[in-house]
Amino acid sequence: MRTEGNVSKVAICPKCKGFTLACHVDCLDEETEKEFTELTNEGFEVKLETIKETQAREYGAYSDCSKGKCNE
């Protein structure tokens, strides 16, 4: 995994493409990895991207995205 530079790991809603969890890859801990695993199991896309890409995304509220109510 690339850990140099401005890289973040994000959980992206498959419906609205907003991010519901983002973390700089240098700062991941066991709890954050567990959260990303749970989000993946719920259908969210987890990927590495630049901080600029993450900042350009809209925030997706987990409470709406997990129920498919985002973008309504």
Side-chain angles (χ1 to χ4, degrees), residues 5-71:
N6 294 322
V7 179
S8 63
K9 187 172 187 179
V10 294
I12 303 165
C13 173
K15 183 176 178 185
C16 72
K17 301 301 181 192
F19 73 92
T20 191
L21 177 65
C23 184
H24 193 278
V25 294
D26 290 341
C27 300
L28 291 175
D29 58 21
E30 285 185 28
E31 183 61 30
T32 306
E33 281 293 346
K34 180 182 171 204
E35 290 174 323
F36 277 117
T37 300
E38 290 171 355
L39 288 164
T40 300
N41 292 341
E42 292 180 30
F44 287 84
E45 176 187 4
V46 175
K47 65 178 256 183
L48 292 177
E49 63 184 20
T50 66
I51 299 265
K52 287 186 178 186
E53 288 175 300
T54 303
Q55 291 171 338
R57 292 185 183 281
E58 295 291 323
Y59 175 75
Y62 172 77
S63 58
D64 292 336
C65 292
S66 65
K67 296 174 186 166
K69 295 184 177 181
C70 50
N71 279 351

